Amino acid sequence: MSLGSGLAKGLAVTFRAMTRRAVTQQYPETLPELPPRSRGVIGLFEENCTVCMLCARECPDWCIYIDSHKETVPPAAPGGRERSRNVLDRFAIDFALCMYCGICVEVCPFDALFWSPEFEYAETDIRDLTHERDKLREWMWTVPEPPPPDPSAEEAKETAAARRTADRRAAERSRPAEQAEQAEQAEGDREPGEGSAS
Amino acid sequence: MDVLDVSLRIGGVLLAFLLLPLLVGQAEHKVMAHMQGRLGPMHAGGFHGWAQLVADGVKFAQKEDVVPQGADRTLFRLAPAVALIPYLIVLIAIPVGPGGMVGEVIDAGIFFVLAVLGVGVLGSLMGGWASANKYSLLGGLRTAAQLMAYELPLILAAASVVMAAGTLSLPGILDAFAWWWVPWQLIGGFVFFTAGIAELHRPPFDAPLAPEEIIFGAFTEYSGLRFALFLLAEYAGIVVVAALTAVLFLGGWHGPLPDQLGWLWTTLKTAVLCFLVIWARVAWPRLRVDQIQRFAWTVLVPLALAQIALTGVVKVVFL
């Protein structure tokens, strides 16, 4: 009786589904709880931007527009040479072209670009999807704090480096008198930084 | 029987005819959604989308009523009415409660009901032929084949109840009803209900509609209000078939409560059967045309004949 059992199974499955609560979230009423690192929109922390153009050059679909000019800064000390620096004039991302690959965020060496989970920026005209620096700066306020690393995760490189320096300083302060075994101390420098991961 | 009484009865039947199919439709929206892990309509009308079908009706009424160029215009326009009105007429003869709670007592009620039910299917056939569309014609022919196949078990199963009660009148059948009729006529009830679903071409017997293969069959060319009338006919048909099954095989108004509340029992039994129709649609896939035919001729007809034999034997030997 494979036929009959199949029919009964169909009835049972659908009935069980009916007795359970649907997991549907009614979107405009219930806003979604997005996971950390959600790729909603790209925010610009323009204070950090040095107009290095790496993001614009790495962007696969060329959707980042950057204009800048050079300004000279008076010499720091009398008799010195004038210094020049880049000033950002325009920073725009065309979200109609952007494919949310995140290469610009990855490649930025000065931490000026961030992912924000904000996603409600639909427009009725495709040209309105090119957002200028003031809008991108506003989105910076919606960037969440990065989530803490997993308990068993490898320590971040910058944390490890900072810890190593701190440990070395502490070791130097604790035994200033003993200058004799400097070679041994150099060995000990490396130990705490690597030992801390375990 | 004065004018007031007649108009009250007709008004009641009309109200039921306008309201119950919408209730079944809304129940189908919600039950089907929850069986598939969805919510169904949630916004129309504010509370859990109760006004979804009203909104659908408004939408259908606004749409253009297109008649294809090659169509037989008169038949094409007439078909939705032919599909819908028989169910209204059948509702008049279905007894809801004891003591004359019925639109009109007809002596040969069961003949009348089955004859008029058969007319409803002609609407799809007319629409399929008049549309001048090969998919519509295919759907119409499948409808006709299905009508031929399932009308026989339907009538045989009904005949079994008629033999048991010794009367053709629907209230008369219910007057003769006793609780042990339910197990006695169980096979007949199954055959009648299944054949009824098949005549309405509801899933799993919806090969004549089959939106994925022949694009709603006879309804391919229909739009706007006429399409809505066909849909309404489908849901009115569910109500009628469920109510008839409840009256003939499940004892209609008979139940533990006093007779004044008999209409509640009829309604409850009809509602449960309507739920079964919806459930079958969600749970089971569509049968092929040949499977539908085979099921009718090799399963339902023999079962109906066996039921008639059983009824006759019990009637002659024990009663």
Side-chain angles (χ1 to χ4, degrees):
Chain A
M1 278 305 284
S2 66
L3 174 79
S5 70
L7 294 180
K9 198 170 173 183
L11 290 176
V13 166
T14 46
F15 193 82
R16 230 177 297 129
M18 190 181 67
T19 55
R20 279 197 292 264
R21 270 193 95 76
V23 294
T24 313
Q25 290 179 348
Q26 296 281 88
Y27 156 60
E29 286 94 29
T30 321
L31 287 175
E33 281 190 24
L34 294 170
R37 302 190 185 91
S38 289
R39 297 181 172 204
V41 75
I42 295 166
L44 170 70
F45 191 53
E46 64 180 51
E47 290 85 340
N48 276 0
C49 181
T50 62
V51 202
C52 68
M53 304 290 284
L54 279 177
C55 51
R57 288 157 63 96
E58 293 293 335
C59 177
D61 33 17
W62 293 89
C63 68
I64 301 181
Y65 304 91
I66 300 177
D67 290 339
S68 71
H69 68 276
K70 269 198 171 127
E71 276 181 6
T72 49
V73 185
R81 191 167 67 89
E82 281 186 331
R83 301 293 167 130
S84 68
R85 70 180 179 95
N86 289 322
V87 177
L88 188 65
D89 290 332
R90 178 183 187 222
F91 194 107
I93 300 180
D94 186 352
F95 285 102
L97 289 179
C98 176
M99 60 182 195
Y100 300 87
C101 64
I103 289 178
C104 53
V105 178
E106 289 291 320
V107 85
C108 180
F110 300 103
D111 282 350
L113 290 172
F114 290 90
W115 278 115
S116 155
E118 193 62 37
F119 62 92
E120 291 171 314
Y121 53 98
E123 300 284 352
T124 47
D125 190 325
I126 196 169
R127 286 164 294 192
D128 296 340
L129 276 168
T130 305
H131 287 294
E132 299 292 335
R133 60 194 277 192
D134 46 344
K135 187 75 188 161
L136 299 177
R137 183 63 184 85
E138 262 172 53
W139 272 321
M140 262 318 285
W141 301 109
T142 63
V143 172
E145 204 178 308
D150 290 342
S152 58
E154 202 177 305
E155 199 174 32
K157 270 184 193 146
E158 52 266 46
T159 321
R163 185 196 304 283
R164 206 153 49 221
T165 316
D167 285 349
R168 193 174 58 228
R169 296 257 169 84
E172 278 170 10
R173 227 175 298 123
S174 64
R175 40 177 179 171
E178 293 173 37
Q179 305 281 330
E181 299 116 341
Q182 276 194 353
E184 244 183 47
Q185 197 183 353
E187 286 290 318
D189 283 347
R190 225 160 289 134
E191 286 262 291
E194 274 156 18
S196 63
S198 60
Chain B
M1 200 181 257
D2 54 321
V3 178
L4 182 70
D5 186 52
V6 169
S7 51
L8 258 183
R9 282 166 195 273
I10 289 185
V13 169
L14 195 65
L15 192 71
F17 178 70
L18 292 177
L19 201 62
L20 292 181
L22 292 186
L23 277 179
V24 174
Q26 181 71 13
E28 179 169 66
H29 269 318
K30 292 308 259 187
V31 168
M32 193 153 77
H34 283 283
M35 282 184 168
Q36 295 168 344
R38 299 181 286 118
L39 292 175
M42 288 297 281
H43 286 101
F47 180 75
H48 284 259
W50 67 270
Q52 182 62 47
L53 290 180
V54 181
D56 283 350
V58 172
K59 184 197 78 174
F60 277 127
Q62 288 170 337
K63 285 194 167 184
E64 191 184 357
D65 184 22
V66 184
V67 181
Q69 203 171 21
D72 185 334
R73 301 183 76 85
T74 323
L75 269 187
F76 188 84
R77 285 161 183 251
L78 202 61
V82 174
L84 186 58
I85 290 177
Y87 296 118
L88 171 65
I89 297 174
V90 171
L91 268 190
I92 292 177
I94 295 179
V96 180
M101 234 175 129
V102 51
E104 172 69 53
V105 181
I106 301 171
D107 284 343
I110 207 161
F111 262 155
F112 174 78
V113 161
L114 291 178
V116 178
L117 260 188
V119 175
V121 185
L122 284 183
S124 309
L125 197 52
M126 283 167 63
W129 175 252
S131 293
N133 176 317
K134 60 185 171 188
Y135 294 114
S136 300
L137 185 58
L138 264 177
L141 290 178
R142 286 185 185 185
T143 304
Q146 205 153 308
L147 173 71
M148 302 287 266
Y150 282 89
E151 195 70 7
L152 185 61
L154 193 79
I155 288 170
L156 288 177
S160 157
V161 180
V162 170
M163 279 167 62
T167 170
L168 282 169
S169 152
L170 287 173
I173 289 173
L174 280 177
D175 283 335
F177 179 83
W179 69 267
W180 51 269
W181 280 31
V182 175
W184 182 23
Q185 301 291 339
L186 191 65
I187 302 170
F190 167 74
V191 172
F192 186 88
F193 190 53
T194 316
I197 295 177
E199 283 214 3
L200 298 171
H201 27 72
R202 285 283 300 178
F205 303 102
D206 62 336
L209 296 182
E212 295 84 3
E213 312 162 23
I214 53 171
I215 323 152
F216 270 105
F219 312 150
T220 303
E221 297 290 354
Y222 281 92
S223 60
L225 215 48
R226 285 175 209 279
F227 182 71
L229 290 182
F230 270 124
L231 282 188
L232 190 64
E234 181 179 334
Y235 290 98
I238 295 174
V239 172
V240 164
V241 165
L244 271 182
T245 312
V247 164
L248 290 178
F249 296 94
L250 298 178
W253 67 65
H254 293 280
L257 293 175
D259 274 0
Q260 283 78 20
L261 291 173
W263 60 272
L264 207 61
W265 276 110
T266 315
T267 319
L268 190 70
K269 289 168 184 174
T270 309
V272 169
L273 289 172
C274 289
F275 175 78
L276 284 183
V277 175
I278 298 167
W279 195 5
R281 172 175 178 184
V282 183
W284 295 334
R286 178 184 306 136
L287 291 174
R288 271 195 330 260
V289 179
D290 63 307
Q291 288 169 329
I292 289 176
Q293 293 293 323
R294 182 139 36 91
F295 184 67
W297 294 109
T298 63
V299 179
L300 287 190
V301 170
L303 276 182
L305 289 173
Q307 173 66 59
I308 285 188
L310 178 69
T311 308
V313 167
V314 172
K315 186 85 178 166
V316 170
V317 176
F318 297 102
L319 297 179

